[in-house]
Each structure stands twice: as structure tokens, then as C-alpha cells.
Amino acid sequence: MANLVDDLGQEMLYLPGTASLVQDIDKRVMVVLRDGRTLIGVLRSLDQFANLLLTQTVERIHVRDRYGDIDRGVFLVRGENVLLCGETDFGKPEFQKLTQVSQEEILKIQAEELKEKEERQKLLKKAFQERGMPFYSMDVADDGF
């Protein structure tokens, strides 16, 4: 990428805002969405609203120390749903601590985890109600709309 110069003639080390993603085009990126899903794919295009076009996309599901990938192919992500986006390096030791499992197995583990979480939520809600306190689940995302 060519060196960029700002209005004062000084070299810019980064691009502000969405433009900073231009350097990641044709690279493998990880995108975390507002609903908690994680997508990994090759960034092919973007616009000023951070709408992203990913190819060779997989949805990665993490449960405890395991993960599984679900093929999604070409994926268009609306910019307002992007929470985090960045280049990935899966060669790092942090990624190698996780165990990859099949798609069916990770979906089964995820369903079990959600069931356990719902049971804990019910117990918490009951305990709060017994004490006359309101209970607000932390799982519900507040969109602010």
C-alpha cells in the first residue's frame, strides 16, 4: 500500500474509519456480529457504511474449548451489524489450544450449553422473584432503537 499523506504533508500511519479496512481486502478476516456470531472469510469488498462482502465464509461456533465451522459461502454483512473486524492469524499458539470438532457435534454441544444456560436463568429469575426483585436477563441485546 502506498504511503498516504495528510493535509499537513505528514505521512499517515493509518486510515481513519472504514477506510482502514481497505488494507485487508483479499485477506482472511474474522468478523464478529452484533448478535454474537463469528464469521471467517476472505474480504472481497466494502463500502463507506462498512457493508462487507466475504467469500469462502465459515461461521465459527465456540463452546468452551471446542469449535466447529459451518460453511456459509458468499456472505454479505450489513455494516450496522459488524461489531469487530480484523485480519486473522490462526498459526498463533492461542488458536491451537482449541479442539476442532465436526459441525454436527458442535451444534449438539451448543444446544446442550443453551439448555443449561436457560435452566440457570430460570433458577436466577425464581430467586430474584422470591426476594421481590426484578430480573433482567443479560442475554437480551439492547439495540437502542
Side-chain angles (χ1 to χ4, degrees):
M1 187 166 152
N3 292 341
L4 299 170
V5 179
D6 66 9
D7 294 338
L8 301 174
Q10 298 174 343
E11 184 177 345
M12 293 175 56
L13 300 176
Y14 70 94
L15 292 168
T18 305
S20 64
L21 290 173
V22 170
Q23 64 192 9
D24 290 332
I25 288 182
D26 292 332
K27 293 183 182 173
R28 194 153 196 77
V29 295
M30 179 182 288
V31 179
V32 179
L33 301 179
R34 203 167 58 169
D35 65 1
R37 289 187 291 167
T38 301
L39 302 174
I40 299 169
V42 178
L43 180 63
R44 292 295 182 194
S45 182
L46 66 130
D47 64 11
Q48 71 270 26
F49 303 109
N51 295 321
L52 308 175
L53 180 64
L54 303 173
T55 59
Q56 302 169 16
T57 307
V58 295
E59 180 179 350
R60 180 157 290 177
I61 299 173
H62 296 89
V63 181
R64 298 191 269 309
D65 62 343
R66 297 182 186 152
Y67 73 92
D69 293 338
I70 302 172
D71 288 328
R72 297 295 185 198
V74 177
F75 212 94
L76 179 62
V77 182
R78 188 176 168 105
E80 67 181 14
N81 293 316
V82 175
L83 187 65
L84 176 78
C85 178
E87 189 176 0
T88 56
D89 182 7
F90 293 111
K92 294 197 176 219
E94 297 86 25
F95 286 107
Q96 297 173 4
K97 294 177 184 176
L98 300 173
T99 306
Q100 185 172 7
V101 296
S102 70
Q103 176 179 338
E104 294 79 18
E105 189 173 347
I106 197 67
L107 290 173
K108 180 181 173 188
I109 295 169
Q110 183 185 41
E112 291 169 0
E113 178 92 359
L114 288 173
K115 188 175 179 182
E116 291 172 10
K117 197 172 190 177
E118 286 174 4
E119 291 297 322
R120 287 191 304 267
Q121 291 288 329
K122 285 180 185 176
L123 290 173
L124 273 173
K125 184 176 182 179
K126 183 178 178 184
F128 271 70
Q129 287 176 339
E130 287 173 355
R131 290 166 179 79
M133 299 170 61
F135 176 75
Y136 301 104
S137 174
M138 296 303 213
D139 292 339
V140 179
D142 181 14
D143 290 342
F145 295 106

